[in-house]
Amino acid sequence: MSAQTILRLGTLKDVAQFQKHLESQHLAIPCDDEVTIGSDSPLRTPIHRVGFEIGNRIAVQPMEGWDGTTDGNPTESTIRRWRRFGQSGAKLIWGGEAVAVTPEGRANPRQLIIAGHTEKGLAQLRSALVEEHRLTTGSDDGLLIGLQLTHSGRFCQPDKHGQTEPRIAYHHPILDRRLPLSNEIPLLTDSEIGTIVEQFHTAAATAQKLGFDFVDIKHCHGYLGHELLGAHTREGNYGGSFANRTRFLREIVEGIRTKAPGLAIGVRISAFDMVPFRHDPARSSKGKLGPGIPDGLNGMLPYRYGFGINPDNPIEIDLTETFRFLSLLEQLGIVLVNVTGGSPYYTPHIQRPALYPPSDGYAPPEDPLAGVARQMEVTRCLKLRFPNLIFVGSAYSYLQDFLPNVAQAAVRHGWVDLVGLGRMVLAYPEILLDATEGRAIQRKRICRTFSDCTTAPRKGLPSGCFPLDDYYKESEYAEQLRIFKSSGAGTPIK
Ligand SMILES: Cc1cc2nc3c(=O)[nH]c(=O)nc-3n(C[C@H](O)[C@H](O)[C@H](O)COP(=O)(O)O)c2cc1C
Ligand code: SF4
């Protein structure tokens, strides 16, 4: 499949055509004919549940910015992004962006760090967001703001762009080859993992002191928490059995309860995964990536390197352990769950469905709408089974013009509690506010999934929406951006 053979949603005239298209593709994506305006809107119905007051059903997803200072403080463009999160009208801010609990756990040398010397900067992000939210919506009632805490594990790149410094939980035959990593590279020891657990405790206590309502213990996208969930082959306390693979989570939660009593906890989880994909070399040509295919599985079955995956057929989802994980969250008193899938590093089409792939990706192996439908369906199944948990759903940005109609239907049918927006917030933060207030949607600002916000960081640039957000044309990044574009990296790959 290539971008040319996929129907561009921007060419559809109206919702009826979109619904017809869904039907023709046999995609189970609910879509309302009209978006309700005002307080009757399902998207504007507050949630009052188990100690949480959330003023509407719109969430901003965490999005790493690659634009902090080298010592992990926010810059002007970081603050601006958080202001725009506030402007979105969303009453749930799920983490803002991944913030490293220790300098060596950063995914990029410009990632934010939570530590004594960054307290002021992180507090400023929060207050800028609240201020902007009040200005836009008139009140910060029902606004819940979390901070996403992370250790990047296998994908650490703390010191220099392009210089990976992986801290791995186990050897992964495909991902090790890609980095590349020799078999000799030592694994994180149990004692080193214990130290990271303590760094999460300290970070959570700091987040509480700075006024954040909750912390997200990140368990997604191939980073350390997620890698440990799939550590079937690891020996010792953090590998093998389900109890061992979730020990990291349990120990973090236990320490937070003691060191930051009263602080709410959320978990963003890659609820399912797949074997890593790569572009098909047989169908690639100069300047044209081939479609994604599973990276050779020879001799690897049953597949013992994932979570939420069928070991006998690792391109198939298996939610058995995901259900167990959510039961564990319930036992631990954790109510906030953010559902995502896969990883942007090895299954980008699963994680963030896009028409145009990032430069290190592959052409879409399926209509990106199938990727949206997959994440929606998994979330629906989880919600059905765990009605008392508050679920945030992901991967809505590809819906483009029809995002408001689908978001409303998903909430109305109880498929999800809150609709999370990622890329769309970089391009057009207030899209759902506009839609539910009866203002015309600004089509020119709609994210068309060009993937520049993913590709640019791979080249050492921040992750803004360069095609649609004029800010970057006048920012300190303008010259780098010009080079990025002239290199062809910023133009859609066919
Ligand atoms: C530039 C960029 C940075 C991201 N950074 C994070 C992050 O720090 N933490 C996280 O959990 N997800 C991160 N994501 C994933 C998004 O939160 C979201 O799951 C994904 O983009 C799919 O949602 P969407 O279709 O609304 O974009 C990032 C995505 C993008 C595009
Ligand atoms: S660069 Fe802008 S249009 Fe492209 S995917 Fe990111 S947010 Fe969307």
Side-chain angles (χ1 to χ4, degrees), residues 61-64 66 97-98 148 218 220-221 268 340 351-352 394-397 420-423 453-454 463:
Q61 297 287 24
M63 269 172 302
E64 195 180 327
W66 288 264
E97 60 190 277
Q148 184 176 61
K218 187 174 188 179
C220 58
H221 303 164
R268 189 161 205 222
T340 172
Q351 204 276 315
R352 51 187 80 153
S394 304
Y396 287 86
S397 291
L421 301 185
R423 289 163 294 178
C453 53
T454 302
S463 64

Side-chain angles (χ1 to χ4, degrees), residues 457-470:
R458 310 271 202 254
K459 316 258 171 204
L461 277 159
S463 64
C465 178
F466 301 129
L468 304 178
D469 182 354
D470 286 343

Side-chain angles (χ1 to χ4, degrees), residues 3 44 98 154 205 213 253 284 309 324 333 335 339 384 440-441 460-461 491:
R44 298 182 77 156
R154 177 176 292 274
D213 301 301
V253 171
S284 302
I309 195 168
R324 277 183 85 180
V335 174
V339 181
L384 205 62
I441 295 294
L461 277 159
T491 47

